Amino acid sequence: MADFDQFVPVLKPAAGGPEPRRVGGERAMQWLLEGWRGFMAAPGVWLGMTVVFLLIQIVLGMIPFLGGLAAAFLAPVLTAGLLFGCRDQAAGQPVQFETLFAGFRQRTGELVLLGVLALAGMLVIVLLVGVLAGGGALTGALLGGGAGVAFAAGAALVVALLALVLLIPYTMALWFAPALVGLSGCAPVDAVKRSLMACLRNWLPLTVYGLVVLVLTVVAMIPFGLGLLVLLPVIVGSMYASWRDIFA
């Protein structure tokens, strides 16, 4: 990782943790195939865990303010539970429904802190984008006429592009983080750093993976979104496969 550390030394992870390796672009499809095989090995259990996971997030999200915070804080805990299920399957053990809640029994504090970091990062992005969008709209209104409309439209486009640019490293920093905290035993901040560095090092397979998942998501949405109940556990399985491939 020295090639990245020399440019962004603040992102250098702590010594002694799992080091990511580079893998080829063809690994993207292999990760998805492993996720599919894991789902097909116990489809009923994975569907049940996915439904409960989504219901918990939806119900918490319906509670004003505190519910949204709880959903954000608990998302890594529940995600780690799904990853524990993947680990059990990889070890030849049957995946159990109660594994979904395994994150409440091990490394719970670290996983909740990861949720706090994720929420804080998203709030920074939202605030920055909101301030810039509001400034562009206000400037356009002050200019008035066609020039004002053109300025506001251009500012909105720039802000949208900025939001996309900021969301890419945000996603990269969190992609491997639940697995690194729950499975590798990393501290939350160190896990975020290692996840970002691993994604930078493996930008090609992860770009291929992201494009394929985008297409699969569109297809899964067609039958009233029911396809997501299958796609989500496949993605979790592929997330575990990518962590194991790059870090283990």
Side-chain angles (χ1 to χ4, degrees):
M1 293 187 296
D3 48 340
F4 293 112
D5 295 344
Q6 60 182 318
F7 298 111
V8 279
V10 71
L11 296 179
K12 185 176 181 180
E19 293 290 331
R21 68 186 185 100
R22 284 190 177 91
V23 299
E26 75 283 353
R27 297 301 299 167
M29 294 306 300
Q30 186 62 37
W31 298 336
L32 286 167
L33 287 174
E34 289 190 35
W36 172 253
R37 284 195 290 264
F39 171 77
M40 291 304 295
V45 178
W46 281 112
L47 284 172
M49 288 195 295
T50 302
V51 169
V52 172
F53 179 97
L54 293 175
L55 284 176
I56 291 174
Q57 293 294 306
I58 291 172
V59 171
L60 289 176
M62 295 173 64
I63 302 174
F65 187 66
L66 292 180
L69 291 177
F73 296 163
L74 294 181
V77 181
L78 296 172
T79 301
L82 296 173
L83 291 169
F84 290 147
C86 296
R87 180 188 61 185
D88 293 343
Q89 279 191 317
Q93 303 173 12
V95 60
Q96 304 290 333
F97 175 82
E98 55 268 23
T99 306
L100 173 63
F101 305 103
F104 291 98
R105 298 190 296 271
Q106 43 189 313
R107 302 193 62 81
T108 307
E110 291 90 341
L111 290 167
V112 170
L113 179 54
L114 180 59
V116 174
L117 293 175
L119 179 60
M122 180 55 67
L123 287 177
V124 170
I125 294 175
V126 170
L127 288 175
L128 178 59
V129 170
V131 168
L132 293 177
L138 178 60
T139 303
L142 292 176
L143 289 174
V149 173
F151 182 90
L157 178 59
V158 171
V159 170
L161 292 175
L162 175 63
L164 178 61
V165 169
L166 293 175
L167 284 173
I168 291 175
Y170 174 82
T171 303
M172 294 166 66
L174 294 175
W175 180 251
F176 293 108
L180 286 169
V181 173
L183 300 174
S184 297
C186 294
V189 174
D190 190 50
V192 168
K193 293 180 179 181
R194 290 185 186 279
S195 178
L196 179 57
M197 301 301 283
C199 290
L200 290 172
R201 175 164 285 189
N202 292 278
W203 65 269
L204 178 57
L206 287 169
T207 299
V208 174
Y209 173 90
L211 292 174
V212 174
V213 168
L214 179 61
V215 173
L216 292 176
T217 301
V218 173
V219 174
M221 291 293 293
I222 293 175
F224 306 103
L226 295 178
L228 293 176
L229 297 179
V230 174
L231 181 59
L232 289 178
V234 171
I235 290 176
V236 171
S238 65
M239 181 187 299
Y240 174 83
S242 63
W243 164 82
R244 187 181 60 190
D245 200 13
I246 292 174
F247 281 98

